[in-house]
PDB file of all heavy atoms in Angstrom:
ATOM      1  N   GLN A 314     115.458 118.256 123.335  1.00 98.00           N
ATOM      2  CA  GLN A 314     115.893 119.533 122.755  1.00 98.00           C
ATOM      3  C   GLN A 314     114.717 120.502 122.629  1.00 98.00           C
ATOM      4  O   GLN A 314     114.856 121.705 122.863  1.00 98.00           O
ATOM      5  CB  GLN A 314     116.530 119.270 121.386  1.00 98.00           C
ATOM      6  CG  GLN A 314     117.261 120.475 120.818  1.00 98.00           C
ATOM      7  CD  GLN A 314     118.150 120.091 119.643  1.00 98.00           C
ATOM      8  OE1 GLN A 314     118.688 118.999 119.590  1.00 98.00           O
ATOM      9  NE2 GLN A 314     118.306 120.999 118.699  1.00 98.00           N
ATOM     10  N   TRP A 315     113.553 119.973 122.251  1.00 98.00           N
ATOM     11  CA  TRP A 315     112.347 120.800 122.136  1.00 98.00           C
ATOM     12  C   TRP A 315     111.732 121.112 123.494  1.00 98.00           C
ATOM     13  O   TRP A 315     110.835 121.951 123.591  1.00 98.00           O
ATOM     14  CB  TRP A 315     111.305 120.066 121.296  1.00 98.00           C
ATOM     15  CG  TRP A 315     111.568 120.064 119.822  1.00 98.00           C
ATOM     16  CD1 TRP A 315     112.397 120.888 119.135  1.00 98.00           C
ATOM     17  CD2 TRP A 315     110.978 119.183 118.851  1.00 98.00           C
ATOM     18  NE1 TRP A 315     112.363 120.591 117.792  1.00 98.00           N
ATOM     19  CE2 TRP A 315     111.505 119.553 117.591  1.00 98.00           C
ATOM     20  CE3 TRP A 315     110.067 118.136 118.923  1.00 98.00           C
ATOM     21  CZ2 TRP A 315     111.140 118.886 116.412  1.00 98.00           C
ATOM     22  CZ3 TRP A 315     109.704 117.484 117.751  1.00 98.00           C
ATOM     23  CH2 TRP A 315     110.236 117.848 116.506  1.00 98.00           C
ATOM     24  N   GLN A 316     112.157 120.383 124.512  1.00 97.00           N
ATOM     25  CA  GLN A 316     111.591 120.491 125.864  1.00 97.00           C
ATOM     26  C   GLN A 316     110.098 120.122 125.868  1.00 97.00           C
ATOM     27  O   GLN A 316     109.275 120.758 126.526  1.00 97.00           O
ATOM     28  CB  GLN A 316     111.820 121.897 126.446  1.00 97.00           C
ATOM     29  CG  GLN A 316     113.304 122.222 126.593  1.00 97.00           C
ATOM     30  CD  GLN A 316     113.551 123.574 127.219  1.00 97.00           C
ATOM     31  OE1 GLN A 316     112.856 124.535 126.958  1.00 97.00           O
ATOM     32  NE2 GLN A 316     114.565 123.644 128.055  1.00 97.00           N
ATOM     33  N   PHE A 317     109.774 119.056 125.106  1.00 96.00           N
ATOM     34  CA  PHE A 317     108.417 118.493 125.096  1.00 96.00           C
ATOM     35  C   PHE A 317     108.469 117.125 125.753  1.00 96.00           C
ATOM     36  O   PHE A 317     109.429 116.386 125.576  1.00 96.00           O
ATOM     37  CB  PHE A 317     107.895 118.289 123.668  1.00 96.00           C
ATOM     38  CG  PHE A 317     107.694 119.555 122.867  1.00 96.00           C
ATOM     39  CD1 PHE A 317     107.672 119.508 121.483  1.00 96.00           C
ATOM     40  CD2 PHE A 317     107.507 120.778 123.493  1.00 96.00           C
ATOM     41  CE1 PHE A 317     107.476 120.660 120.730  1.00 96.00           C
ATOM     42  CE2 PHE A 317     107.317 121.935 122.757  1.00 96.00           C
ATOM     43  CZ  PHE A 317     107.299 121.879 121.371  1.00 96.00           C
ATOM     44  N   SER A 318     107.415 116.766 126.489  1.00 96.00           N
ATOM     45  CA  SER A 318     107.342 115.382 126.960  1.00 96.00           C
ATOM     46  C   SER A 318     107.004 114.516 125.746  1.00 96.00           C
ATOM     47  O   SER A 318     106.328 114.965 124.815  1.00 96.00           O
ATOM     48  CB  SER A 318     106.297 115.224 128.062  1.00 96.00           C
ATOM     49  OG  SER A 318     105.021 115.481 127.540  1.00 96.00           O
ATOM     50  N   THR A 319     107.486 113.277 125.728  1.00 96.00           N
ATOM     51  CA  THR A 319     107.386 112.456 124.510  1.00 96.00           C
ATOM     52  C   THR A 319     105.951 112.207 124.032  1.00 96.00           C
ATOM     53  O   THR A 319     105.737 112.133 122.824  1.00 96.00           O
ATOM     54  CB  THR A 319     108.139 111.119 124.670  1.00 96.00           C
ATOM     55  OG1 THR A 319     107.639 110.442 125.820  1.00 96.00           O
ATOM     56  CG2 THR A 319     109.631 111.344 124.824  1.00 96.00           C
ATOM     57  N   PRO A 320     104.932 112.096 124.912  1.00 95.00           N
ATOM     58  CA  PRO A 320     103.575 111.896 124.371  1.00 95.00           C
ATOM     59  C   PRO A 320     103.075 113.076 123.525  1.00 95.00           C
ATOM     60  O   PRO A 320     102.087 112.949 122.810  1.00 95.00           O
ATOM     61  CB  PRO A 320     102.705 111.717 125.622  1.00 95.00           C
ATOM     62  CG  PRO A 320     103.658 111.277 126.688  1.00 95.00           C
ATOM     63  CD  PRO A 320     104.932 111.993 126.392  1.00 95.00           C
ATOM     64  N   HIS A 321     103.757 114.226 123.607  1.00 96.00           N
ATOM     65  CA  HIS A 321     103.375 115.391 122.799  1.00 96.00           C
ATOM     66  C   HIS A 321     104.042 115.380 121.428  1.00 96.00           C
ATOM     67  O   HIS A 321     103.869 116.321 120.648  1.00 96.00           O
ATOM     68  CB  HIS A 321     103.722 116.695 123.527  1.00 96.00           C
ATOM     69  CG  HIS A 321     102.863 116.962 124.717  1.00 96.00           C
ATOM     70  ND1 HIS A 321     101.514 117.177 124.620  1.00 96.00           N
ATOM     71  CD2 HIS A 321     103.167 117.023 126.035  1.00 96.00           C
ATOM     72  CE1 HIS A 321     101.019 117.381 125.843  1.00 96.00           C
ATOM     73  NE2 HIS A 321     102.000 117.277 126.712  1.00 96.00           N
ATOM     74  N   CYS A 322     104.840 114.338 121.144  1.00 97.00           N
ATOM     75  CA  CYS A 322     105.538 114.245 119.858  1.00 97.00           C
ATOM     76  C   CYS A 322     104.965 113.103 119.024  1.00 97.00           C
ATOM     77  O   CYS A 322     104.520 112.092 119.562  1.00 97.00           O
ATOM     78  CB  CYS A 322     107.030 114.002 120.067  1.00 97.00           C
ATOM     79  SG  CYS A 322     107.850 115.275 121.030  1.00 97.00           S
ATOM     80  N   MET A 323     105.005 113.283 117.723  1.00 98.00           N
ATOM     81  CA  MET A 323     104.576 112.227 116.802  1.00 98.00           C
ATOM     82  C   MET A 323     105.735 111.879 115.885  1.00 98.00           C
ATOM     83  O   MET A 323     106.469 112.772 115.432  1.00 98.00           O
ATOM     84  CB  MET A 323     103.388 112.708 115.969  1.00 98.00           C
ATOM     85  CG  MET A 323     102.941 111.677 114.926  1.00 98.00           C
ATOM     86  SD  MET A 323     101.701 112.368 113.820  1.00 98.00           S
ATOM     87  CE  MET A 323     100.236 112.007 114.754  1.00 98.00           C
ATOM     88  N   TYR A 324     105.909 110.577 115.625  1.00 98.00           N
ATOM     89  CA  TYR A 324     106.930 110.143 114.667  1.00 98.00           C
ATOM     90  C   TYR A 324     106.227 109.546 113.457  1.00 98.00           C
ATOM     91  O   TYR A 324     105.405 108.638 113.584  1.00 98.00           O
ATOM     92  CB  TYR A 324     107.879 109.122 115.304  1.00 98.00           C
ATOM     93  CG  TYR A 324     109.048 108.780 114.398  1.00 98.00           C
ATOM     94  CD1 TYR A 324     109.860 109.783 113.878  1.00 98.00           C
ATOM     95  CD2 TYR A 324     109.315 107.473 114.023  1.00 98.00           C
ATOM     96  CE1 TYR A 324     110.913 109.495 113.033  1.00 98.00           C
ATOM     97  CE2 TYR A 324     110.380 107.168 113.180  1.00 98.00           C
ATOM     98  CZ  TYR A 324     111.166 108.187 112.688  1.00 98.00           C
ATOM     99  OH  TYR A 324     112.210 107.890 111.835  1.00 98.00           O
ATOM    100  N   VAL A 325     106.559 110.071 112.279  1.00 98.00           N
ATOM    101  CA  VAL A 325     105.924 109.647 111.029  1.00 98.00           C
ATOM    102  C   VAL A 325     106.937 108.881 110.190  1.00 98.00           C
ATOM    103  O   VAL A 325     108.008 109.408 109.871  1.00 98.00           O
ATOM    104  CB  VAL A 325     105.425 110.876 110.221  1.00 98.00           C
ATOM    105  CG1 VAL A 325     104.716 110.430 108.948  1.00 98.00           C
ATOM    106  CG2 VAL A 325     104.515 111.759 111.065  1.00 98.00           C
ATOM    107  N   GLY A 326     106.610 107.636 109.830  1.00 98.00           N
ATOM    108  CA  GLY A 326     107.513 106.839 109.006  1.00 98.00           C
ATOM    109  C   GLY A 326     106.749 105.804 108.208  1.00 98.00           C
ATOM    110  O   GLY A 326     105.535 105.642 108.370  1.00 98.00           O
TER     111      GLY A 326
END
Side-chain angles (χ1 to χ4, degrees):
Q314 191 166 328
W315 284 342
Q316 298 183 322
F317 295 158
S318 65
T319 56
H321 290 296
C322 301
M323 177 188 273
Y324 187 54
V325 182

